[in-house]
Amino acid sequence: MRWIFFSPVVFLFYAGICFYIGIRLLGLLRFFCPDTKLIIFWIIFVFFCTAPFLTSFINHNINFLRILGSLWMAFFLYMLMFLVLSEAARFIFILKGNKAANINLYTTGTALCLCVLFIFFGIFHARSIKTVDYNISMQGSGGGIRIVLLSDLHIGSLVNEAWTGRVVEKINKQKPDIVLIAGDIFDGNIDVIRDLQGVITNLGSINAPLGAYACLGNHDVDRQALRGGTTKRIEGILKEAGITLLQDEVVIIRDNLYLGGRRDARPIGLSNERKTSAEMTEGINGTILMMDHQPVQFPQLEKAGVSLVVSGHTHKGQLFPASLFTYLIFKRAGASHYGYWKGETMQAVVTSGAGLWGPPLRIGTNSEIAVINIEFMQ
């Protein structure tokens, strides 16, 4: 998010909205506390407005500041949304010739109450990890296979040892044949994780006869503050946990059944070249399953002969109404932002993820793992 400070237009737009929200909140506050000092209010308010970006410029390891900043972004989104709705309601009220004293106070107070209710609901809802099921038939040989798809844990300051423990417990209850982790396992800087060894132990307790495999996502870059990053420590953690990392590689998991994992197209802070879809499948004669973190190349993968793609990345928007934008963006790419997708010869499943990025809440979406039951037909 720090790029916002380097774009004058975006910065002024953001600052203008913050000022609008601040003025409305100040009016409400001064109605109940007339002696409120303007300088104190604005210092505190500006601190909240800049909290999402301060960790990038001060110290990436200040967890409380990261959490505060992410909560502010949720508050910013929903307070603005409800204030705009309140302005529309007030306009209609005035058009009908009605007048009410202190209508600004009523509308601001209502917007604030709704905003706080949404945030508290979203925080508790995000911690409830759902399980969704997909039954798929495709060409191939051998018996069926049960896959658990996991993505977007974003292990870091918000998702920790306790969260990963609950996720792994849900995975093992499904008794999968194989577990596929489709990227964004970590959320940047590894040093912010409070119990890294506990996280490794949890990931290492995944129980699947055919093993656990992963590809990396755009956030799987170990970085600190404004400095560059690397994937070395993440690779080491996955290896210690017994998870096979596939980076532009394809392996055979049983007769005539192959699994590939692609490098991410745009890892944050790294320049990354990856194989084309055709290069990934060249020379392979069999059924191919593919992990690709970002669901943006479904047409190319279908043309290359892939039977099933599993992806994450989108979080299904995580917060309504962001889900409306992710729907349009990935539909335009010829893919999907969530759920089951079917082309002419290829199928895909996009999960909303088992963790969180940014605001620690979900509204209109779920934290989830996906269970994919595949039946092969000759």
Side-chain angles (χ1 to χ4, degrees):
M1 294 293 293
R2 61 178 176 266
W3 57 269
I4 196 170
F5 281 105
F6 301 109
S7 172
V9 174
V10 176
F11 169 73
L12 289 174
F13 183 71
Y14 175 74
I17 295 175
C18 287
F19 181 71
Y20 166 69
I21 294 173
I23 286 291
R24 296 294 294 268
L25 290 177
L26 179 61
L28 182 65
L29 180 61
R30 296 194 83 176
F31 177 79
F32 293 101
C33 303
D35 295 330
T36 300
K37 302 295 184 183
L38 286 178
I39 186 66
I40 295 175
F41 171 83
W42 285 113
I43 288 173
I44 294 172
F45 187 76
V46 169
F47 172 74
F48 276 95
C49 293
T50 56
F53 320 106
L54 290 177
T55 51
S56 295
F57 293 97
I58 299 175
N59 187 335
H60 207 64
N61 296 341
I62 303 177
N63 277 350
F64 90 91
L65 196 57
R66 289 166 56 87
I67 294 170
L68 183 67
S70 62
L71 284 172
W72 163 257
M73 292 310 297
F75 179 86
F76 172 84
L77 170 65
Y78 287 109
M79 193 63 190
L80 175 61
M81 186 172 75
F82 288 126
L83 282 176
V84 170
L85 290 174
S86 75
E87 294 283 11
R90 185 176 67 153
F91 181 70
I92 294 171
F93 196 70
I94 292 171
L95 281 180
K96 290 186 175 181
N98 297 315
K99 294 182 179 181
N102 300 321
I103 190 170
N104 273 346
L105 298 176
Y106 296 138
T107 55
T108 303
T110 301
L112 179 61
C113 289
L114 288 172
C115 180
V116 171
L117 285 173
F118 262 57
I119 288 174
F120 273 100
F121 166 79
I123 289 171
F124 287 106
H125 179 63
R127 304 186 69 83
S128 176
I129 302 165
K130 311 295 183 182
T131 302
V132 294
D133 294 273
Y134 300 92
N135 296 310
I136 292 176
S137 297
M138 64 176 63
Q139 293 295 320
S141 59
I145 187 170
R146 186 173 174 85
I147 299 170
V148 166
L149 169 62
L150 171 69
S151 183
D152 297 276
L153 267 168
H154 288 277
I155 301 168
S157 58
L158 298 176
V159 176
N160 51 29
E161 183 272 338
W163 194 301
T164 56
R166 290 192 294 120
V167 170
V168 171
E169 183 180 359
K170 278 192 170 287
I171 291 172
N172 289 340
K173 280 184 178 179
Q174 298 303 318
K175 298 182 179 179
D177 296 312
I178 190 170
V179 173
L180 305 181
I181 308 175
D184 277 2
I185 308 158
F186 296 92
D187 191 32
N189 186 5
I190 302 298
D191 292 330
V192 304
I193 302 171
R194 288 191 290 274
D195 185 1
L196 178 57
Q197 194 54 52
V199 168
I200 295 171
T201 299
N202 288 337
L203 294 177
S205 64
I206 292 175
N207 185 14
L210 295 177
Y213 294 82
C215 67
L216 297 183
N218 58 306
H219 283 265
D220 286 315
V221 180
D222 183 23
R223 61 194 186 280
Q224 295 183 3
L226 297 177
R227 295 188 292 275
T230 176
T231 62
K232 293 299 182 183
R233 279 206 293 177
I234 292 173
E235 294 171 25
I237 290 168
L238 295 177
K239 183 176 181 180
E240 186 176 348
I243 297 171
T244 302
L245 177 62
L246 300 179
Q247 301 197 80
D248 275 0
E249 301 168 84
V250 177
V251 296
I252 185 166
I253 55 177
R254 74 179 196 198
D255 288 347
N256 298 316
L257 183 61
Y258 295 83
L259 172 66
R262 303 193 74 187
R263 293 181 183 273
D264 187 71
R266 293 175 291 276
I268 297 172
L270 294 179
S271 58
N272 195 33
E273 293 184 4
R274 65 174 183 169
K275 292 180 180 179
T276 65
S277 301
E279 288 171 338
M280 287 289 296
T281 62
E282 187 177 5
I284 297 175
N285 184 21
T287 303
I288 305 172
L289 314 178
M290 187 69 67
M291 297 181 292
D292 194 0
H293 176 62
Q294 301 189 39
V296 293
Q297 290 198 343
F298 284 4
Q300 294 91 328
L301 288 165
E302 182 173 36
K303 186 177 180 181
V306 174
S307 297
L308 175 70
V309 178
V310 293
S311 298
H313 181 64
T314 70
H315 295 225
K316 199 186 175 183
Q318 189 167 315
L319 300 176
F320 179 85
S323 51
L324 301 178
F325 296 100
T326 57
Y327 170 81
L328 294 173
I329 290 168
F330 290 95
K331 182 179 181 181
R332 187 173 181 180
S336 171
H337 79 143
Y338 177 74
Y340 176 74
W341 178 94
K342 183 173 176 60
E344 294 183 5
T345 60
M346 189 184 84
Q347 301 173 77
V349 173
V350 181
T351 177
S352 63
L356 304 164
W357 178 80
L361 56 151
R362 281 186 180 267
I363 296 175
T365 67
N366 297 319
S367 301
E368 68 174 32
I369 62 170
V371 179
I372 308 171
N373 296 297
I374 300 178
E375 179 184 354
F376 293 103
M377 302 177 297
Q378 296 287 348

